[in-house]
Amino acid sequence: MSLFYFVSFLSILFSLLVIFTKNPVYSVLALIATFFTFTIQYILLNAQFLAVVNFIVYMGAIMVLFLFVLMLMNLNKESEPMKSNLIKVVGVIAGGTLLVTLVGATKMLQTSEVSALPNSDIGLVENLGKVLFNEFLLPFELSSILLLTALVGAVLLAKKDKRTQNG
């Protein structure tokens, strides 16, 4: 149980670093560390599939994309426009709304002892595969055909037309 609290503390610490760090590259690196602590939490909850998906998709693909975009933007203080007072007021209102929501949510929480799950195999990939390929086979196959169609469409749209280049 102490590992849970330690990883939760690290998760909160890294998420605060994401918000309060001035350098956007350091902010993205803190976001990667936050996602890594989420992966550890998923492993502690016996949800291996979610842990692997979180590790590959969020930490691998999306965060690398964020870093590339930030490096391509070449942010510096001279090119950053001054923010208007309206944007600052909207930011304060949004932050206050978030604070009120968090306070209301913590008041609704009931501090009860965490009990063991009745089925400890609930997050295993094997059980997910059995359910996915037995009960949900048709929607799974339809979504794969939809993704394949989108992939072919994207390739056709990105392909240069030779007739327009020569003519």
Side-chain angles (χ1 to χ4, degrees):
M1 204 49 124
S2 63
L3 180 63
F4 170 78
Y5 290 120
F6 177 69
V7 173
S8 298
F9 170 75
L10 287 179
S11 178
I12 293 170
L13 176 73
F14 287 132
S15 63
L16 288 174
L17 284 175
V18 169
I19 297 169
F20 294 118
T21 302
K22 298 285 184 187
N23 190 343
V25 176
Y26 292 150
S27 180
V28 170
L29 291 174
L31 188 59
I32 291 172
T34 304
F35 282 144
F36 184 71
T37 58
F38 291 165
T39 302
I40 294 172
Q41 293 289 10
Y42 288 142
I43 291 171
L44 290 175
L45 289 171
N46 199 20
Q48 291 89 1
F49 179 73
L50 286 176
V52 170
V53 167
N54 186 42
F55 188 81
I56 291 172
V57 173
Y58 288 106
M59 288 179 58
I62 294 176
M63 289 298 108
V64 168
L65 178 69
F66 280 176
L67 281 175
F68 281 140
V69 167
L70 285 175
M71 289 179 185
L72 286 175
M73 286 174 53
N74 194 13
L75 296 174
N76 53 27
K77 291 184 180 182
E78 293 84 28
S79 67
E80 183 178 341
M82 297 299 294
K83 293 180 176 58
S84 68
N85 288 332
L86 178 65
I87 292 176
K88 292 178 183 177
V89 168
V90 169
V92 168
I93 291 171
T97 307
L98 176 66
L99 182 66
V100 168
T101 305
L102 289 176
V103 167
T106 54
K107 285 186 178 182
M108 296 302 291
L109 283 177
Q110 296 178 0
T111 55
S112 62
E113 191 67 29
V114 177
S115 61
L117 294 174
N119 185 3
S120 63
D121 295 338
I122 198 165
L124 296 179
V125 180
E126 178 185 357
N127 295 335
L128 177 68
K130 286 179 183 176
V131 169
L132 188 64
F133 290 118
N134 287 334
E135 298 174 28
F136 298 102
L137 182 62
L138 182 64
F140 180 75
E141 292 298 328
L142 289 176
S143 65
S144 66
I145 291 171
L146 180 67
L147 289 172
L148 179 65
T149 307
L151 178 71
V152 170
V155 168
L156 288 177
L157 287 174
K159 183 179 174 185
K160 293 183 180 180
D161 192 12
K162 292 183 181 180
R163 289 178 290 175
T164 59
Q165 287 180 345
N166 295 333

